[in-house]
Amino acid sequence: ARLGIPTAIHESNAVPGLTTKLLIPYARRIMVGFEDCRQHYPDPEKVVVTGTPVRRDFFDLTKAQARQRLGLSDERPLIVSFWGSLGAAGMNEQMADMLALEAAHQPFHHIHGAGSEAGLAAITARLKERGVEIGRCPALRLFPYIHDMAPTLRAADLVLCRAGASTVSELTALGVPAILVPSPYVTNHHQEKNAAALAHGGGAWVLTEYAATGQSLFQAACAILHDEGRREKMAGAMAALGIRDAADRMLLAILP
């Protein structure tokens, strides 16, 4: 910037982080994910809403094709849950309790990524304590990691997850309703602000980690998935926040 070279920032979170705040005076363009983000910047005319790029393979399949790839042959909706690449021990405990409630009647398909081999072992052990043999519940699938995230999220009817910037971008681009439990352990509580942006738009339901018990997550999922009108409304609201051509918009924002 001091040399007169044009500079630009892309902020993927709903509110500017420390580095972005420090660079705002020097940047000619500030690219953000949502229209509501403008209010957090002193010079709104420098702000361009581009969204955050999502890998193209998220759009390779239709929802029906994605369900077929996952081997879902009936009409039961699909829940997908994950709590970060390293998992979250506390949330995995709650997921075990939720899965135990689902096991009785298996009203949904449910794919859960535990985040590690140790996390998977802990969930399996907790389920056994609850009298649930996961191998006897074909609608419930547990993995240490979800390696094929693109078709899995494409097939989902409801996602339970944190509210990191990349995940939020993927959910909005695909128009998938979500129950978000923002991580309370991140800098400046930015996940809470990301989640609030989706909840304000009508696409997500937000629970604090303290309130996100297996029972409350199960009840919230049932309330959404058993109400087709509500689910469709949330999906439409999430899609309205999504920007599928974010990479193209970023290029146009920085071209002279």
Side-chain angles (χ1 to χ4, degrees):
R2 290 182 179 132
L3 292 171
I5 298 171
T7 55
I9 301 170
H10 180 270
E11 174 58 75
S12 54
N13 287 303
V15 293
L18 177 60
T19 302
T20 296
K21 288 179 180 178
L22 291 172
L23 294 176
I24 284 172
Y26 305 99
R28 296 192 186 182
R29 292 283 186 276
I30 301 168
M31 296 171 282
V32 298
F34 306 105
E35 187 65 38
D36 285 350
C37 297
R38 289 185 189 275
Q39 63 183 300
H40 301 294
Y41 296 87
D43 300 309
E45 69 277 2
K46 291 168 57 172
V47 177
V48 181
V49 180
T50 63
T52 298
V54 174
R55 297 197 324 259
R56 293 187 183 277
D57 62 333
F58 276 84
F59 314 113
D60 285 347
L61 303 176
T62 66
K63 184 171 182 176
Q65 289 170 334
R67 285 181 64 90
Q68 185 177 21
R69 176 172 292 188
L70 295 177
L72 306 180
S73 58
D74 58 40
E75 298 300 317
R76 282 178 292 178
L78 170 64
I79 296 174
V80 174
S81 56
F82 52 93
W83 304 104
S85 58
L86 297 178
M91 289 309 302
N92 275 336
E93 288 184 8
Q94 304 309 325
M95 293 313 303
D97 293 344
M98 178 180 177
L99 288 162
L101 292 170
E102 293 179 57
H105 301 291
Q106 299 180 66
F108 322 117
H109 292 284
H110 191 157
I111 294 174
H112 177 62
S116 66
E117 294 286 354
L120 177 62
I123 291 179
T124 302
R126 189 174 178 91
L127 283 168
K128 285 184 178 179
E129 292 173 1
R130 299 285 299 271
V132 177
E133 292 288 344
I134 199 67
R136 298 180 180 178
C137 303
L140 310 181
R141 306 186 200 178
L142 305 182
F143 302 98
Y145 307 100
I146 300 175
H147 293 290
D148 52 349
M149 187 61 82
T152 301
L153 282 189
R154 188 73 178 96
D157 295 286
L158 179 67
V159 175
L160 281 59
C161 62
R162 296 300 198 187
S166 294
T167 299
V168 163
S169 299
E170 291 160 1
L171 294 174
T172 55
L174 293 173
V176 184
I179 298 173
L180 301 175
V181 183
S183 173
Y185 312 112
V186 296
T187 304
N188 198 29
H189 301 285
H190 67 260
Q191 285 202 10
E192 295 175 12
K193 292 153 189 173
N194 291 344
L198 301 194
H200 181 260
W205 181 259
V206 180
L207 290 172
T208 65
E209 184 157 323
Y210 176 79
T213 64
Q215 181 72 41
S216 66
L217 288 165
F218 178 68
Q219 289 177 338
C222 288
I224 294 170
L225 293 176
H226 289 159
D227 185 340
E228 187 173 349
R230 180 182 180 186
R231 180 173 54 175
E232 289 180 355
K233 186 175 181 180
M234 290 181 69
M238 195 71 94
L241 293 169
I243 299 176
R244 290 193 171 198
D245 61 343
D248 294 333
R249 292 191 186 199
M250 290 176 67
L251 179 62
L252 290 174
I254 64 176
L255 286 175

